[in-house]
Amino acid sequence: MRPVIGIPCQAEFRSGSNRPIYGNNRTYVHAVENAGGLPILIPMLTNLHHLEDLLPRLDGILFSGGIDLQPELYGELRHPATDEGDPQLDEFEVAVANWALQEDIPILGVCRGMQLLNVILGGTLYQDIATQRLNALEHCRRDMPRTALTHAIQVEEGSIMEQVLGTRQVQVNSLHHQAVKEPGKGVYLSGLAEDGLAELLEVPEHRFLLAIQGHPEEIYSQVEPFARLFEAFVQACANIPVPEKVVIPMRLTPASL
């Protein structure tokens, strides 16, 4: 039986009609499905306590890319280049992430998802790489196709990511203007770009918590190490029993672990 993997939705507006909808990119769904999982999109419920009936049925969580987190979550004032953000989305994803951390459920974070996990664990972010990090590469390459490989990642020797990816160096796409600054509690930055910015994250004490700043869901079919990443995530989800009942910790501040 395929493990059920939840992917939180975000609030969007349908092109043309401007109708409010919940959704996420299809590439996340297909990446999980192709790796052997059963992806389920989780809507932003108006009452987060209703998640208590849904989350125990999941075997894993994938946190996707998206808009900037509110800098208040990591104790900073908003930088002029930081998006306005979505407080409802932040509250929703923080609640889901805190549950997954509490229950030791496998987690994979992508782009915003990596930043979210670091912040929940007490870390901080560069709100705008171009203005806050000297001599940084141009990481926000939204002028290029989402599948364009723009720079290399050096994977730390002996890391979980090295074991999963099967390599010490891999090419990646790059669509972000923010990045991990100070790592959170228990966070190990297991892959760096050529300019020293964090590209891979893991929490060894968690059963499976890996995150990547790039977008492997767009390139797993052309970059084999990222196919391995999704396969390892799905396999971890398949081996973990589902808890019977949980109470969702409603916290907007980083979890105390």
Side-chain angles (χ1 to χ4, degrees), residues 41-228:
L41 294 176
I42 308 173
M44 293 169 60
L45 302 179
T46 54
N47 187 339
L48 294 183
H49 288 289
H50 293 158
L51 290 170
E52 296 172 10
D53 295 321
L54 169 64
L55 295 182
R57 307 181 190 191
L58 304 179
D59 300 304
I61 297 287
L62 188 159
F63 290 102
S64 71
I67 62 176
D68 296 343
L69 290 163
Q70 299 171 94
E72 293 84 356
L73 290 176
Y74 46 98
E76 292 189 7
L77 298 175
R78 187 177 307 278
H79 186 281
T82 298
D83 296 340
E84 183 177 346
D86 183 342
Q88 184 183 3
L89 173 62
D90 289 348
E91 183 180 19
F92 169 55
E93 289 197 329
V94 166
V96 175
N98 277 327
W99 167 79
L101 289 166
Q102 172 183 288
E103 298 299 327
D104 206 18
I105 297 299
I107 302 171
L108 179 62
V110 173
C111 196
R112 168 190 161 96
M114 173 168 164
Q115 298 163 10
L116 169 76
L117 294 167
N118 187 61
V119 167
I120 286 177
L121 292 167
T124 63
L125 304 177
Y126 289 108
Q127 292 192 47
D128 185 59
I129 297 169
T131 57
Q132 294 185 317
R133 177 67 182 252
L134 294 176
N135 302 317
L137 297 173
E138 186 178 352
H139 286 269
C140 190
R141 299 310 307 266
R142 297 176 188 172
D143 58 316
M144 303 176 69
R146 292 177 66 85
T147 56
L149 305 180
T150 61
H151 68 80
I153 297 174
Q154 299 296 326
V155 184
E156 291 295 316
E157 184 175 5
S159 65
I160 299 171
M161 274 295 194
E162 182 193 14
Q163 178 183 352
V164 167
L165 300 178
T167 184
R168 290 286 314 283
Q169 186 179 87
V170 63
Q171 294 289 321
V172 71
N173 50 1
S174 191
L175 302 165
H176 56 100
H177 84 106
Q178 298 192 330
V180 169
K181 185 178 180 181
E182 294 294 333
K185 182 179 179 181
V187 169
Y188 176 54
L189 302 180
S190 53
L192 304 177
E194 299 154 27
D195 58 4
L197 275 177
E199 292 282 342
L200 302 175
L201 175 158
E202 58 193 62
V203 179
E205 293 184 359
H206 195 80
R207 190 175 302 196
F208 187 102
L209 194 162
L210 301 180
I212 177 170
Q213 190 58 68
H215 283 268
E217 79 284 358
E218 303 280 358
I219 55 176
Y220 68 91
S221 61
Q222 68 186 90
V223 183
E224 194 271 341
F226 295 134
R228 290 170 55 96

